[in-house]
Amino acid sequence: MRLDRVIEALLFAADTPVSADALARAIGCPIYEVEEKLENYGARLRDTSALQLVRIAGGYQLCTKPEYSEVLSRFLAPQNTRLSRAVLEVLAVVAYRQPVTLAEIEQVRGVDSTYGVHALLDRRLVREVGRKKTPGKPHLYGTTQQFLHVFKLDDLTQLPPLELSLSQDVGDGIPSEQGAFLLE
Amino acid sequence: MRLDRVIEALLFAADTPVSADALARAIGCPIYEVEEKLENYGARLRDTSALQLVRIAGGYQLCTKPEYSEVLSRFLAPQNTRLSRAVLEVLAVVAYRQPVTLAEIEQVRGVDSTYGVHALLDRRLVREVGRKKTPGKPHLYGTTQQFLHVFKLDDLTQLPPLELSLSQDVGDGIPSEQGAFLLE
Amino acid sequence: MSAQSAPAKVQQVSAIGVTPPPDIYVECQAFSGSLATLFLMVRDHKVNLLGVPLAPVCEAFAEYLIETSGEDTERAASAIAVLSYLLERKAFALLPVEEASSEDPPELSEPMEPSVQEFAQVILALNDLAEERGGLFFRQSRPPVQDLVDGKGGAYELPIEIGDVTTFDLARAFERLVARAIPDKPAAFRKPARSLSEMMVVVSRALQLEFKSLDEIVVGDFTRTEAVWWFLALLELIRIGQARVRSHKGEVQFAGAAAA
C-alpha cells in the first residue's frame, strides 16, 4: 500500500486538521517520511485537483481551492456559509477575551448575547471551557479548533492585535485597544 | 474552470450523497455532461487515488477504498456498532414490507418488537412515514436514507429479492441466486 | 461523578427552541458538561448513557428545586422532561438484547404467513452489506447539533482566501477606515440595523474590477457602525469568492470577483 495513498485516505476521512506526528503514529512510519509525502501530495493537488492541502491549527487538512468558493457557496445552503454580524461580534469578543462569561460578553457588546452564544456553540466555533468561580458559577466560553479552521488560523497568536476600541472611544477617533477584534 | 474539477469540489464539500441532477443545477450545465464527467472522475480515482466514487443512497459520494479500512479504523473510532439479530430482523421486515405498522411487524416476527423499532428509530434507520387508516391510527414505519447509506444501497430495488426461505436453503452449501447481490 | 446545580438565572428560550433546563453540571467519566448538553448528546448518540449515573443528577435537580424554592416552574418542567427522557433512554439501553448466538427461532404461538423465516437470508445479506460498508470511510463532517435534528447534514465551511495578505494587513486597513468614521448617533435614535446580506449587495456594487484601496472605494460620511458593517460584508464577499484582496506596494487593495 503506497504511503501517499494512506495519507490521502487518512486526511480525507478525518476532516479535522491532522498533525504529521499523528499521521506517522497511525501509519507506523517515521515523521520525516510523512512530511515528505505530505509535501508531494500537496504539490500533486496543486496541478491536478479542485482540492488543496492547507496547514491549519497545527496540522494538515484537505479543503477546496478558493476559486471554487463561488460555485460552492451557491451550492451549499446559505446559512452554512454565513455568520450574522451579531454572531460574528460575539465570536470576536470570545476570541479576544477568552475564557469569558455570557455576562462579560454582554457587558462588552451592551446587548443580550444569548442567541449569539448558542449559535456559536451549535456551530462549534465556541465551547464551554469551564465555570467562573463567582456567584452563580457562570459558564466560561472559549474558541475551538473549528474556529481556527474556519478562519484559517494556525493558533490564537495569529489573531490580529487589538488596537482600536469601538465601544470605549466612540467619537474621539483615536485608535485604542479593541476594534480589530471585529475582523475575524 | 474545468467541469470535472468543479464536480470534485462539490462532491468534497457536500459530504452527503449528491444526485447528478443536483450537481447539474448547481453548475448550470446539462445532466448528461455531469454524468459523463462523473464516470470519468470515478475512473480516474480508480487508478490514482485512495478515494473512490460510490453510488449510494440515491446519489454520488466520495469515500475511501476498502483496502484502507484497517488503517482508518485504527486511526478513527470504529464506525459501526453492530445491530443485534433481533433488531436486524425488525429492520428486514420494515425494509420489505414498508410502510408497515408495529402490529404487522409483530405478526411476522411473532414476538414483541417495540424495542427493535425504537432502536431503529434512534439510529435513524427507520422513521415514521405516516399513520394507517385503521382503528387506532397506528404509525407506519419505513426505511430512511441513512438505512441505504449504512447498507451501501443505492435504492430499495437493490435489496435482495425475497425468494428462498432459510429452511429450504440452509445446509446445502450451494450458492444460490440470492448470494449474488452481495457482489453487487 | 458529581452533579451540582447553580441558582437559576433568567434565561431566554434556547437555540433548540425550548426553555433550557437549569444549569446542572454533570461530571463523570463518560460525560462532562451541562444537563442540556447531556440531553443533546444522548439524543444524538454522542454519549453512552450507560456510563452516566443518573441518580446524582436527579439529586442535583432536587437541590436546585430547594435552592430556588420552585420559582421558575418552566425550567423545572424542562428539567423533568430532560430527566425523564434520559431515564427512559437508559431503561431502553438496559433491556436485554437477543443475541445472534441464541439459535432458537422465535417462538411463535401460531405459524403466520409470511413468516420470519423468509427474512433469515435477508438478514444475513444485510449483515454482509453492513460489514462491507464498514470498510468505507466517508468524510466525517461534524454538523451542528441543530442541523442533525433538521436532517440538513453537515456544514462545509468555505476556507477564506486572502492570499499573501495577512490578517494584520486587514486589521490595519480596517483601522484606517474606522479612523475616518464620524461618531455614531445614540443608540435610541439609530436606524434599524440592516442585514449583512443587504450590506453585501451594497459593498459588491462599490467594488470594481480594478484593485483599489479602501480610501478610494469608501467615500463620503459614514459612522463607525457603518464602517464595521461595511468591512464585515467585504470579508464575507471574499469568503464566498465574490471579492478579491491583494497586497500592493504595502497597501491592501480590494476588487470585485474576476469576470468568469
Short mmCIF file of all heavy atoms in Angstrom, two decimals, chain B residues 96-97 159-169 176-179, chain C residues 117-122:
data_model
loop_
_atom_site.label_atom_id
_atom_site.label_comp_id
_atom_site.label_asym_id
_atom_site.label_seq_id
_atom_site.Cartn_x
_atom_site.Cartn_y
_atom_site.Cartn_z
N TYR B 96 -38.77 -4.61 3.70
CA TYR B 96 -39.51 -5.31 2.65
C TYR B 96 -41.01 -5.05 2.67
O TYR B 96 -41.68 -5.20 1.67
CB TYR B 96 -39.25 -6.81 2.73
CG TYR B 96 -37.92 -7.17 2.17
CD1 TYR B 96 -36.79 -7.13 2.95
CD2 TYR B 96 -37.79 -7.49 0.82
CE1 TYR B 96 -35.55 -7.41 2.42
CE2 TYR B 96 -36.55 -7.78 0.28
CZ TYR B 96 -35.44 -7.75 1.08
OH TYR B 96 -34.22 -8.02 0.55
N ARG B 97 -41.52 -4.70 3.86
CA ARG B 97 -42.97 -4.55 3.97
C ARG B 97 -43.40 -3.10 4.07
O ARG B 97 -44.55 -2.83 4.38
CB ARG B 97 -43.45 -5.29 5.23
CG ARG B 97 -43.20 -6.76 5.20
CD ARG B 97 -44.23 -7.40 4.30
NE ARG B 97 -43.65 -8.55 3.63
CZ ARG B 97 -44.18 -9.76 3.62
NH1 ARG B 97 -45.30 -9.98 4.24
NH2 ARG B 97 -43.60 -10.74 2.97
N LEU B 159 -32.23 -4.17 -2.76
CA LEU B 159 -32.39 -5.19 -1.72
C LEU B 159 -32.51 -6.55 -2.39
O LEU B 159 -33.12 -6.67 -3.45
CB LEU B 159 -33.65 -4.92 -0.90
CG LEU B 159 -33.58 -3.83 0.16
CD1 LEU B 159 -34.98 -3.53 0.67
CD2 LEU B 159 -32.69 -4.26 1.30
N PRO B 160 -31.94 -7.58 -1.79
CA PRO B 160 -32.05 -8.91 -2.40
C PRO B 160 -33.51 -9.34 -2.45
O PRO B 160 -34.27 -9.01 -1.55
CB PRO B 160 -31.26 -9.81 -1.46
CG PRO B 160 -31.19 -9.06 -0.18
CD PRO B 160 -31.22 -7.61 -0.53
N PRO B 161 -33.90 -10.05 -3.50
CA PRO B 161 -35.30 -10.47 -3.59
C PRO B 161 -35.64 -11.49 -2.50
O PRO B 161 -34.79 -12.29 -2.09
CB PRO B 161 -35.39 -11.11 -4.97
CG PRO B 161 -33.99 -11.46 -5.34
CD PRO B 161 -33.09 -10.50 -4.64
N LEU B 162 -36.85 -11.44 -2.03
CA LEU B 162 -37.32 -12.41 -1.04
C LEU B 162 -37.83 -13.63 -1.77
O LEU B 162 -38.97 -13.67 -2.21
CB LEU B 162 -38.50 -11.81 -0.28
CG LEU B 162 -38.29 -11.09 1.01
CD1 LEU B 162 -39.64 -10.79 1.63
CD2 LEU B 162 -37.45 -11.90 1.96
N GLU B 163 -36.98 -14.64 -1.94
CA GLU B 163 -37.46 -15.78 -2.71
C GLU B 163 -37.36 -17.08 -1.94
O GLU B 163 -38.28 -17.85 -1.84
CB GLU B 163 -36.70 -15.91 -4.01
CG GLU B 163 -37.19 -14.90 -5.03
CD GLU B 163 -36.38 -14.96 -6.29
OE1 GLU B 163 -35.67 -15.96 -6.50
OE2 GLU B 163 -36.45 -13.99 -7.07
N LEU B 164 -36.17 -17.27 -1.39
CA LEU B 164 -35.95 -18.53 -0.70
C LEU B 164 -36.16 -18.32 0.78
O LEU B 164 -35.87 -17.28 1.30
CB LEU B 164 -34.50 -18.96 -0.88
CG LEU B 164 -34.06 -19.28 -2.30
CD1 LEU B 164 -32.58 -19.56 -2.29
CD2 LEU B 164 -34.83 -20.50 -2.77
N SER B 165 -36.62 -19.35 1.45
CA SER B 165 -36.64 -19.23 2.89
C SER B 165 -35.45 -20.01 3.42
O SER B 165 -34.91 -20.89 2.77
CB SER B 165 -37.94 -19.78 3.46
OG SER B 165 -37.89 -21.17 3.39
N LEU B 166 -35.03 -19.63 4.62
CA LEU B 166 -33.83 -20.22 5.20
C LEU B 166 -33.96 -21.74 5.29
O LEU B 166 -33.04 -22.48 5.02
CB LEU B 166 -33.61 -19.63 6.60
CG LEU B 166 -32.30 -20.01 7.27
CD1 LEU B 166 -31.13 -19.47 6.48
CD2 LEU B 166 -32.27 -19.50 8.69
N SER B 167 -35.15 -22.19 5.63
CA SER B 167 -35.33 -23.62 5.83
C SER B 167 -35.02 -24.41 4.57
O SER B 167 -34.48 -25.50 4.62
CB SER B 167 -36.76 -23.91 6.29
OG SER B 167 -37.64 -23.23 5.43
N GLN B 168 -35.30 -23.83 3.42
CA GLN B 168 -35.03 -24.54 2.17
C GLN B 168 -33.55 -24.54 1.84
O GLN B 168 -33.05 -25.41 1.18
CB GLN B 168 -35.78 -23.85 1.01
CG GLN B 168 -37.27 -24.00 1.10
CD GLN B 168 -37.94 -23.08 0.10
OE1 GLN B 168 -37.92 -21.87 0.25
NE2 GLN B 168 -38.51 -23.68 -0.93
N ASP B 169 -32.88 -23.50 2.31
CA ASP B 169 -31.57 -23.22 1.78
C ASP B 169 -30.43 -23.68 2.68
O ASP B 169 -29.36 -24.02 2.25
CB ASP B 169 -31.46 -21.71 1.59
CG ASP B 169 -30.32 -21.37 0.68
OD1 ASP B 169 -30.02 -22.18 -0.22
OD2 ASP B 169 -29.72 -20.31 0.89
N SER B 176 -26.73 -19.91 -3.90
CA SER B 176 -28.00 -19.73 -4.60
C SER B 176 -27.95 -18.42 -5.37
O SER B 176 -27.00 -17.67 -5.28
CB SER B 176 -29.14 -19.70 -3.61
OG SER B 176 -29.01 -18.51 -2.86
N GLU B 177 -29.01 -18.16 -6.04
CA GLU B 177 -29.07 -16.94 -6.84
C GLU B 177 -28.98 -15.69 -6.01
O GLU B 177 -28.53 -14.66 -6.48
CB GLU B 177 -30.40 -16.91 -7.59
CG GLU B 177 -30.22 -17.27 -9.04
CD GLU B 177 -31.27 -16.56 -9.84
OE1 GLU B 177 -31.00 -15.43 -10.25
OE2 GLU B 177 -32.34 -17.15 -10.02
N GLN B 178 -29.46 -15.84 -4.76
CA GLN B 178 -29.53 -14.65 -3.95
C GLN B 178 -28.20 -14.13 -3.51
O GLN B 178 -28.04 -12.96 -3.25
CB GLN B 178 -30.32 -14.97 -2.70
CG GLN B 178 -31.73 -14.55 -2.85
CD GLN B 178 -32.43 -14.78 -1.57
OE1 GLN B 178 -32.19 -15.79 -0.92
NE2 GLN B 178 -33.27 -13.87 -1.20
N GLY B 179 -27.26 -15.06 -3.39
CA GLY B 179 -25.96 -14.65 -2.89
C GLY B 179 -25.32 -13.59 -3.78
O GLY B 179 -24.55 -12.78 -3.30
N GLN C 117 -39.07 -16.64 8.91
CA GLN C 117 -38.07 -17.48 8.24
C GLN C 117 -37.66 -16.89 6.89
O GLN C 117 -36.52 -16.94 6.47
CB GLN C 117 -38.61 -18.90 7.98
CG GLN C 117 -39.03 -19.64 9.22
CD GLN C 117 -37.86 -19.90 10.15
OE1 GLN C 117 -36.70 -19.87 9.73
NE2 GLN C 117 -38.15 -20.14 11.42
N GLU C 118 -38.68 -16.33 6.28
CA GLU C 118 -38.48 -15.75 4.96
C GLU C 118 -37.37 -14.70 4.95
O GLU C 118 -36.73 -14.45 3.94
CB GLU C 118 -39.82 -15.11 4.59
CG GLU C 118 -40.01 -14.78 3.18
CD GLU C 118 -41.42 -14.18 3.02
OE1 GLU C 118 -42.27 -14.37 3.91
OE2 GLU C 118 -41.60 -13.54 2.00
N PHE C 119 -37.19 -14.08 6.11
CA PHE C 119 -36.25 -12.97 6.17
C PHE C 119 -34.84 -13.40 6.60
O PHE C 119 -33.94 -12.58 6.64
CB PHE C 119 -36.76 -11.91 7.13
CG PHE C 119 -37.98 -11.21 6.61
CD1 PHE C 119 -39.24 -11.59 7.00
CD2 PHE C 119 -37.84 -10.18 5.68
CE1 PHE C 119 -40.36 -10.95 6.50
CE2 PHE C 119 -38.96 -9.55 5.18
CZ PHE C 119 -40.22 -9.92 5.58
N ALA C 120 -34.70 -14.67 6.96
CA ALA C 120 -33.42 -15.09 7.53
C ALA C 120 -32.26 -14.80 6.59
O ALA C 120 -31.22 -14.25 6.98
CB ALA C 120 -33.47 -16.57 7.89
N GLN C 121 -32.47 -15.15 5.34
CA GLN C 121 -31.42 -14.96 4.35
C GLN C 121 -31.11 -13.46 4.16
O GLN C 121 -29.98 -13.05 4.02
CB GLN C 121 -31.90 -15.55 3.01
CG GLN C 121 -30.85 -15.50 1.95
CD GLN C 121 -30.20 -16.87 1.76
OE1 GLN C 121 -30.44 -17.78 2.54
NE2 GLN C 121 -29.40 -16.99 0.74
N VAL C 122 -32.20 -12.71 4.18
CA VAL C 122 -32.05 -11.27 4.02
C VAL C 122 -31.22 -10.68 5.15
O VAL C 122 -30.39 -9.80 4.95
CB VAL C 122 -33.44 -10.61 3.98
CG1 VAL C 122 -33.34 -9.11 4.11
CG2 VAL C 122 -34.16 -10.99 2.71
#
